[in-house]
Amino acid sequence: MSRKTLSFTRSQQLFQEACQIIPGGVNSPVRAFKQVDAHPLFIKKAEGAYVWDVDGNRFVDYVGSWGPAILGHAHPEVVQAVGESLSHGFSFGAPCEQEITLTRKVQEILPSIEMLRLVSSGTEACMSALRVARGYTGREKIVKFTGCYHGHADMLLVKAGSGVATLGIPGSPGVPQGSTKDTITLAFNDSEALKALFVQQGRDIAGLIVEPIVGNGNFIRPKDGYLELMRELCTEYGTVLIFDEVMTGFRVGLKGVQGLKGIKPDMTTLGKVIGGGMPIGAYGGKAEIMNKVAPAGPVYQAGTLSGNPVAVTCGIKTLDLLQNKYAFTDLSRRTRELVLGLKERAARHGVALSVDSEGGMFGFMFCSELPTSFEAAAQANIDQFKRFFRGMLHHGVYLAPSAFEAGFVSFAHGDKEIAATLEAADHVFANLSQY
Ligand SMILES: *Cc1c(COP(=O)(O)O)cnc(C)c1O
């Protein structure tokens, strides 16, 4: 090999130590590099489009903390706003004005959200949204789709995407059968199955939750008319339609998939970008439904750190900059350039790669045709993915360590970073068998 590769000695030492005291050495399974047969890097700092590990290596980062870092890491204006907020105390456990500011901002961007409740993670947002859907309808059944991930609540750990798919497990031990007996799972993009289900059981279904572009199964688009069909069926049968835009919100475009498609879900769950890297999740939608949430209504949901002033300030500043300073058309163009460049470099070396992107979110799969379901995505060449991942890492490009995760480009990624990435890819595709 002509090019120098990196050393990860310190990360390896830390990982060994971590494994003694933290399960699997990580605090979230997707970080473990298990699927790619490697050890995770310990990150020391992040700025703009880059992360630095404890060995002093620098990487162009396409994980972006799994989505939140859309402005690039440590954007100076966000750092300043968060610093000021910190100096006024970290948490009050009482209402603060910033909660109204953030909520108004979200409403402005996503008009389907008439009322919003802030929580601390995407998991909480999805779990709570479904509780409200059940409380509102008085029904018990819920519908989800194979390969979609909505956090780790018991009832949702059925044929889930993300780390669950990466580990190749159908569900999880520790989830009692009772918790999932009312969860119905369908294949994504199968319109006939969806119609048949509603005809048979529509009146018993409280809520349907979906990632409207599936980012936890790599990158799977809805077929034309598929989300529209969900909207029609949910309206007809009185089921609460929940778009889980934890990943896609403020990411595929400012207004998420609902904005791109012009579809109004009854409820939306948010996370990731809404906190700009701080722990925030949110769920909201029609006032009639949200008024069921305690203390306005009887459906209980609470959180000691919910609406935390520092996190909320980080979210406000992030959304503010997205709305007023940056253009999604630029981000879309750059992301397209990246994925088409990857495809072209792969083709040059006889590697079949299919790619897709929307806004600052992208997917690439080692197969010749874009998958339209998780079942199809699972057929892609995982061995090639692993080699590509390891090769890119050794050439200073940090990708998601799983074939079932989307990637993210930020506004801090410029021509220089894209060019460096494509140059690395050209080299890695040419020498894939060596990694
Ligand atoms: C990340 C994610 C979640 C879970 O969010 P956490 O903050 O990790 O709990 C839920 N739904 C989707 C679509 C996600 O991408």
Side-chain angles (χ1 to χ4, degrees):
M1 253 180 302
S2 54
R3 289 177 59 158
K4 201 168 157 280
T5 59
L6 306 178
S7 156
F8 304 129
T9 319
R10 182 70 185 136
S11 276
Q12 280 163 2
Q13 284 168 354
L14 288 175
F15 185 57
Q16 274 176 6
E17 187 180 342
C19 284
Q20 310 296 314
I21 50 174
I22 300 171
V26 290
N27 280 308
S28 189
V30 292
R31 299 177 191 167
F33 283 32
K34 234 176 155 161
Q35 192 194 36
V36 292
D37 304 327
H39 286 168
L41 301 187
F42 280 66
I43 303 300
K44 188 158 190 176
K45 73 166 193 173
E47 197 183 312
Y50 296 95
V51 292
W52 284 260
D53 69 7
V54 287
D55 286 286
N57 303 306
R58 188 184 77 163
F59 303 87
V60 181
D61 177 26
Y62 291 101
V63 177
S65 187
W66 300 91
I70 192 160
L71 300 175
H73 295 284
H75 188 290
E77 289 182 57
V78 180
V79 170
Q80 194 189 346
V82 167
E84 274 167 31
S85 174
L86 267 176
S87 69
H88 297 129
F90 312 152
S91 178
F92 311 141
C96 64
E97 194 169 341
Q98 295 93 307
E99 292 167 283
I100 300 178
T101 311
L102 181 61
T103 303
R104 287 246 181 263
K105 215 164 233 330
V106 171
Q107 283 176 327
E108 224 174 272
I109 299 171
L110 300 171
S112 71
I113 296 181
E114 295 167 9
M115 296 184 89
L116 187 78
R117 170 57 67 83
L118 297 177
V119 292
S120 301
S121 69
T123 294
E124 271 183 276
C126 297
M127 182 179 92
S128 310
L130 284 161
R131 182 181 301 145
V132 177
R134 283 170 159 165
Y136 171 74
T137 56
R139 303 171 181 177
E140 307 237 310
K141 290 191 198 301
I142 57 170
V143 179
K144 76 175 287 291
F145 298 85
T146 308
C148 287
Y149 179 70
H150 307 291
H152 63 85
D154 280 359
M155 65 183 159
L156 290 164
L157 279 183
V158 189
K159 295 189 185 169
S162 187
V164 188
T166 305
L167 295 177
I169 52 182
S172 170
V175 175
Q177 274 177 12
S179 313
T180 55
K181 76 174 183 3
D182 292 313
T183 306
I184 301 166
T185 311
L186 289 178
F188 189 73
N189 270 332
D190 186 342
S191 303
E192 291 314 310
L194 184 65
K195 276 187 230 166
L197 173 72
F198 271 83
V199 169
Q200 284 168 9
Q201 308 187 48
R203 300 272 165 220
D204 298 325
I205 301 171
L208 176 153
I209 188 164
V210 65
E211 284 184 71
I213 290 176
V214 188
N216 284 290
N218 196 315
F219 188 106
I220 304 167
R221 268 180 202 279
K223 286 182 185 161
D224 283 345
Y226 188 56
L227 297 175
E228 289 81 355
L229 176 67
M230 287 181 191
R231 178 64 282 178
E232 278 166 37
L233 290 168
C234 285
T235 303
E236 186 180 342
Y237 288 90
T239 296
V240 178
L241 175 64
I242 305 167
F243 275 10
D244 178 355
E245 300 229 45
V246 169
M247 186 185 290
T248 53
F250 323 108
R251 168 55 73 178
V252 298
L254 184 63
K255 297 162 188 286
V257 180
Q258 55 192 279
L260 294 176
K261 293 274 183 184
I263 297 175
K264 211 169 167 180
D266 301 309
M267 294 184 84
T268 301
T269 55
L270 297 166
K272 301 191 170 121
V273 175
I274 194 180
M278 292 275 183
I280 305 188
Y283 65 101
K286 286 188 177 161
E288 185 190 339
I289 300 173
M290 290 303 291
N291 267 320
K292 298 285 177 205
V293 179
V299 178
Y300 199 71
Q301 184 273 308
T304 300
L305 297 176
S306 298
N308 173 276
V310 182
V312 168
T313 299
C314 188
I316 294 170
K317 196 69 198 170
T318 300
L319 293 189
D320 198 42
L321 288 164
L322 279 182
Q323 254 185 318
N324 300 313
K325 194 162 176 181
Y326 294 99
F328 267 89
T329 45
D330 294 340
L331 184 64
S332 297
R333 195 177 336 109
R334 187 144 280 150
T335 309
R336 265 283 129 163
E337 192 187 321
L338 171 73
V339 293
L340 294 178
L342 287 176
K343 189 180 165 79
E344 198 258 328
R345 301 305 186 284
R348 239 184 238 179
H349 301 292
V351 176
L353 192 74
S354 69
V355 299
D356 202 354
S357 70
E358 191 66 62
M361 175 172 158
F362 67 89
F364 63 89
M365 278 167 267
F366 288 86
C367 53
S368 45
E369 240 178 88
L370 277 174
T372 56
S373 69
F374 180 74
E375 291 78 354
Q379 301 301 313
N381 190 323
I382 303 281
D383 182 59
Q384 282 182 330
F385 171 80
K386 289 185 197 184
R387 293 176 186 283
F388 182 67
F389 171 88
R390 293 190 297 249
M392 292 299 274
L393 194 69
H394 274 285
H395 290 92
V397 180
Y398 190 83
L399 297 164
S402 160
F404 302 117
E405 302 282 358
F408 304 104
V409 175
S410 81
F411 282 99
H413 288 72
D415 293 337
K416 191 175 112 203
E417 285 76 24
I418 303 293
T421 305
L422 295 180
E423 195 195 323
D426 192 54
H427 178 84
V428 174
F429 283 130
N431 298 283
L432 211 50
S433 63
Q434 297 180 31
Y435 290 100

